[in-house]
Amino acid sequence: MIDLTLDIEQYDCPFVAATDECDLAFSAVHWEFDTARRQTDSRMVVEAVDRGALDDGLDVLRGHDGLADYDLLSRRDNVAHIRTSVGQTDAMATIRDNDGYLTGPSYVEDGSELWHVGFDDSGEADAALSRLDRSNEVTVVARREPDLPELQGFVQNVGAAMTLIEGCRDLSDVERQTLETAVQGGYFQSPRSATLGTLADEFDVSKPAVSKNLRRGQRKMIERVVEAIEELD
């Protein structure tokens, strides 16, 4: 198996068009290709910077020629859950013509889309990439050839991976930003190149406050890591 991660700008994709014009992003929750209708049915989570950007982006999406069907399933503030049917794009036709298949969810932001695509052999993958380059802007972000034990381990440990992802989602914005700044600044290195004092200055708070945010973030992530380790076992 050849596993590709592609950053692709499809000129005929309604999701790309919406993110190109408006400040929002689409994350695929579920997708399925209908061979009879030659359309991709999907459920997407849409997140925008604010309610206005969400309204504008959904308007662009609904007005695109490539959108065959649309339904707003739910909405809260600047986040929406939608169901769509999209006609087969040139890029998707290329993937399917070369016996390729999607191996993971897509993510669309700033006018480009991140795809995870699989092929059974390198010849099919190379042929698809060559054709994709003719009609789309494509960058190969990663190319891997996992062996059978690695594939088996990936499938078996999806639950552990989701546990870690949920841990990241549990973090508040302040906790996440504090952890990121601490790691990037070298707080956890030995010797430290950042201190509680420098972190406190960065966020304009007291040392006890930044220490509290660090400890809360670390506790949440460590608890999830332990859960993931247990699932791996």
Side-chain angles (χ1 to χ4, degrees):
M1 174 183 175
I2 310 298
D3 187 24
L4 300 177
T5 301
L6 305 177
D7 188 330
I8 179 168
E9 183 177 345
Q10 301 186 80
Y11 302 125
D12 55 351
C13 175
F15 304 115
V16 170
T19 63
D20 194 32
E21 294 188 32
C22 308
D23 199 351
L24 76 169
F26 295 89
S27 301
V29 177
H30 171 266
W31 66 96
E32 181 178 6
F33 186 76
D34 188 313
T35 54
R37 295 184 293 121
R38 301 191 71 78
Q39 293 177 353
T40 299
D41 298 327
S42 61
R43 285 168 173 77
M44 312 281 283
V45 172
V46 194
E47 185 173 6
V49 294
D50 53 43
R51 294 176 61 90
L54 181 61
D55 289 336
D56 293 341
L58 293 180
D59 283 344
V60 173
L61 179 68
R62 289 191 293 264
H64 196 279
D65 292 340
L67 188 72
D69 195 16
Y70 168 91
D71 186 25
L72 177 64
L73 302 176
S74 63
R75 171 174 176 163
R76 183 174 181 179
D77 297 327
N78 61 323
V79 180
H81 184 202
I82 63 174
R83 180 187 61 79
T84 64
S85 292
V86 176
Q88 183 170 244
T89 63
D90 177 81
M92 182 55 69
T94 297
I95 297 297
R96 292 184 56 80
D97 288 348
N98 288 275
D99 296 326
Y101 41 89
L102 297 178
T103 59
S106 61
Y107 181 76
V108 193
E109 186 177 26
D110 293 332
S112 67
E113 187 169 4
L114 196 66
W115 277 9
H116 301 282
V117 184
F119 295 89
D120 292 332
D121 63 61
S122 58
E124 293 171 342
D126 292 339
L129 289 174
S130 176
R131 181 173 154 188
L132 281 172
D133 256 340
R134 301 172 193 168
S135 304
N136 305 273
E137 295 292 334
V138 182
T139 300
V140 179
V141 178
R143 177 170 179 151
R144 299 173 61 251
E145 298 184 31
D147 55 23
L148 286 177
E150 186 179 357
L151 285 173
Q152 182 184 23
F154 173 78
V155 173
Q156 291 177 336
N157 295 317
V158 167
M162 289 304 300
T163 296
L164 294 178
I165 291 173
E166 289 301 323
C168 295
R169 290 174 176 165
D170 286 344
L171 296 173
S172 69
D173 290 342
V174 171
E175 291 163 353
R176 176 181 56 79
Q177 292 167 6
T178 304
L179 281 174
E180 289 177 350
T181 303
V183 171
Q184 293 167 1
Y187 177 80
F188 297 105
Q189 295 176 357
S190 182
R192 287 177 173 171
S193 52
T195 65
L196 283 178
T198 59
L199 292 176
D201 291 341
E202 178 74 22
F203 291 97
D204 195 23
V205 297
S206 66
K207 289 183 182 179
V210 80
S211 175
K212 185 177 181 180
N213 290 330
L214 266 179
R215 285 187 283 106
R216 282 179 173 174
Q218 287 176 275
R219 187 191 73 246
K220 289 179 180 179
M221 290 307 303
I222 290 173
E223 288 175 352
R224 290 294 189 169
V225 167
V226 171
E227 289 180 29
I229 291 173
E230 292 174 350
E231 292 184 35
L232 288 173
D233 290 340

